[in-house]
Amino acid sequence: MNTRSFGNEMKRLGFDFYTGVPCSFLKNLINYAINECEYVGAANEGDAVAIASGAYLGGKKPVVLMQNSGLSNAVSPLVSLNYPFRIPVLGFVSWRGQPGYPDEPQHELMGQITTKILDSMQVKWMYLSTDMRTAKRQLLLAMRYIEKDNPFFFVVRKGTFEQEPLQKQLRPFNYPRISHASKAENEFPARQEALRIINGWKDGKTIQLATTGLTGRQLYEIEDASNNLYMVGSMGCVSSLGLGLALSKPDFDIVVIDGDGSLLMRMGNLATIGYYHPPNMIHILLDNNAHDSTGGQQTVSHNVSFVDMASACGYANSLYLRSLDDLDACLQKWKNKKGLTFAHLQISTRNEDPPRRPAVKPHEVKERLASFLNRGHLEAEGAES
């Protein structure tokens, strides 16, 4: 099938935001996406699904591209982010290890179970045809599922796409990086205290994304608002979700509130964020060296220099914060000047009364957030009519 013709049909239907991890079976479609659309190269397939989900919240129709060996990496966000929040994505997964066709040994088992994994996740799927007319009809069918908030995946056989040469890619700009460390001693404030400071800077152009566990629950108790999102699963994916949202909604301030256990799980996304460098995003790490939501088991964060890592990955500003005053000053500066920022605050493990889980359902959180993000667009349309 002619790759450019298929890609142009995708673009006509509104699919112009792509993210994923390369596969030789999909390389020509990936090349088209890089040449003609917005493409975000993810560190892994799970991050790609979360990036696409953030872009969807921002009004995009996202496409995720991956090899089937990485489908297992994408299981966590597909079942615990996309399913409960009812976030649809259009996926293309290669069929390496297709039974009856010779392939490398590492693809043998995955080739046998690729479609079974999709079935188990209740993800609708179809083998992508190599005939353009049939493929167009398949895309319309996929659209119907996506419009009902269901993900849809195409399984792609070898040789489906004709050659699409990769155009010369621009060399990325090397952003200046600044790291700051206060000489003051750590105050180790409680998480609730830090969240109250963060929430105090929220305004009508701010979106707050809180990682799964106690962070989201405590933010909910401080103030439940339509511009908050409380992760309930997909641990480690909150920064990827924030990246997709920041890139698709540059006029909003995206505040990502992360935890050490969460960030450790998917540290590769620091490099992706640093590379694509959204200036409207601040990534705040509340680090208590523990998996607090599951009983306080220690993480290995005490041995990790997160600020140095963020700086090395391309964040414009990477800061060690020692106190609530430092946090307040950091947010004030970022609100005024912007720039991709990473802020690390060491917190205590002491908690107030155990927080309750949000009473609002995840898909309701998504729907009201989408309404909040698009209210300006709707108001403009109303004024024109």
Side-chain angles (χ1 to χ4, degrees):
M1 180 165 52
N2 183 275
T3 305
R4 182 163 291 271
S5 296
F6 182 79
N8 288 342
E9 179 64 15
M10 294 264 289
K11 188 185 289 188
R12 186 185 71 81
L13 294 172
F15 295 98
D16 58 1
F17 184 100
Y18 290 73
T19 181
V21 180
C23 173
S24 59
F25 286 17
L26 296 173
K27 65 182 179 182
N28 294 304
L29 184 57
I30 293 171
N31 289 352
Y32 172 85
I34 294 172
N35 294 343
E36 303 294 336
C37 301
E38 186 173 4
Y39 178 81
V40 177
N44 61 63
E45 296 79 6
D47 287 350
V49 171
I51 291 167
S53 299
Y56 173 82
L57 293 175
K60 300 286 188 179
K61 290 183 177 179
V63 182
V64 181
L65 307 169
M66 67 182 72
Q67 187 177 104
N68 57 344
S69 61
L71 182 60
S72 56
N73 194 300
V75 166
S76 175
L78 283 171
V79 301
S80 61
L81 173 62
N82 299 81
Y83 180 82
F85 283 95
R86 298 180 188 172
I87 297 176
V89 294
L90 179 61
F92 290 79
V93 57
S94 65
W95 198 8
R96 296 299 302 266
Q98 179 182 348
Y101 292 82
D103 208 331
E104 300 297 326
Q106 68 269 24
H107 299 301
E108 181 179 352
L109 179 57
M110 182 54 77
Q112 298 172 24
I113 64 175
T114 294
T115 58
K116 295 177 183 177
I117 291 175
L118 292 170
D119 286 336
S120 297
M121 293 190 293
Q122 301 178 25
V123 173
K124 299 296 183 182
W125 63 273
M126 185 179 293
Y127 296 115
L128 182 64
S129 174
T130 57
D131 175 73
M132 179 59 70
R133 290 184 180 180
T134 303
K136 286 183 177 181
R137 291 195 296 270
Q138 290 179 320
L139 283 173
L140 293 176
L141 176 63
M143 284 275 290
R144 289 203 290 270
Y145 281 100
I146 288 171
E147 287 168 355
K148 295 179 180 178
D149 292 342
N150 297 309
F152 191 96
F153 269 63
F154 286 112
V155 178
V156 181
R157 301 177 177 91
K158 184 178 182 179
T160 295
F161 293 107
E162 291 180 358
Q163 184 175 2
E164 172 72 16
L166 180 62
Q167 297 173 8
K168 186 176 180 180
Q169 299 177 82
L170 296 176
R171 187 173 182 177
F173 180 73
N174 188 16
Y175 292 92
R177 305 162 192 178
I178 303 173
S179 298
H180 295 287
S182 169
K183 294 183 179 180
E185 293 187 3
N186 285 324
E187 288 185 353
F188 296 101
R191 184 190 295 103
Q192 296 96 328
E193 296 171 330
L195 290 172
R196 290 188 186 101
I197 295 293
I198 295 168
N199 191 66
W201 282 99
K202 183 177 62 180
D203 57 29
K205 299 294 288 185
T206 304
I207 306 298
Q208 296 184 145
L209 309 176
T211 191
T212 188
L214 293 180
T215 303
R217 296 179 213 168
Q218 289 172 343
L219 180 61
Y220 171 78
E221 289 207 330
I222 289 169
E223 183 188 10
D224 180 32
S226 58
N227 48 343
N228 287 349
L229 185 140
Y230 320 107
M231 297 286 275
V232 295
S234 54
M235 185 170 169
C237 287
V238 69
S239 65
S240 302
L241 188 77
L243 173 61
L245 183 54
L247 292 173
S248 57
K249 284 291 186 183
D251 293 336
F252 283 82
D253 296 341
I254 309 303
V255 179
V256 174
I257 310 169
D258 217 337
D260 48 298
S262 171
L263 181 53
L264 286 167
M265 189 170 284
R266 291 189 179 271
M267 284 197 294
N269 195 52
L270 289 175
T272 310
I273 293 171
Y275 183 91
Y276 292 97
H277 212 84
N280 59 323
M281 177 173 164
I282 184 169
H283 188 178
I284 302 172
L285 174 60
L286 303 181
D287 181 3
N288 63 359
N289 306 136
H291 293 289
D292 218 4
S293 302
T294 57
Q297 302 87 354
Q298 282 191 354
T299 67
V300 297
S301 66
H302 66 283
N303 202 39
V304 179
S305 299
F306 289 110
V307 170
D308 293 336
M309 288 177 56
S311 180
C313 286
Y315 282 67
N317 298 291
S318 303
L319 315 170
Y320 283 105
L321 309 179
R322 306 298 188 188
S323 65
L324 295 176
D325 286 342
D326 283 353
L327 176 61
D328 191 59
C330 170
L331 285 162
Q332 181 180 30
K333 182 177 180 180
W334 178 74
K335 275 287 186 179
N336 291 331
K337 295 186 177 181
K338 297 299 185 295
L340 176 62
T341 297
F342 182 89
H344 176 277
L345 178 65
Q346 194 81 37
I347 61 172
S348 70
T349 54
R350 59 188 169 90
N351 288 305
E352 297 171 359
D353 294 334
R356 57 195 172 99
R357 295 179 184 272
V360 60
K361 296 179 180 179
H363 71 90
E364 294 171 338
V365 171
K366 177 209 72 174
E367 289 159 5
R368 70 183 190 181
L369 177 58
S371 297
F372 182 91
L373 286 162
N374 294 311
R375 74 191 190 286
H377 174 69
L378 296 174
E379 288 169 359
E381 283 186 345
E384 290 176 2
S385 61

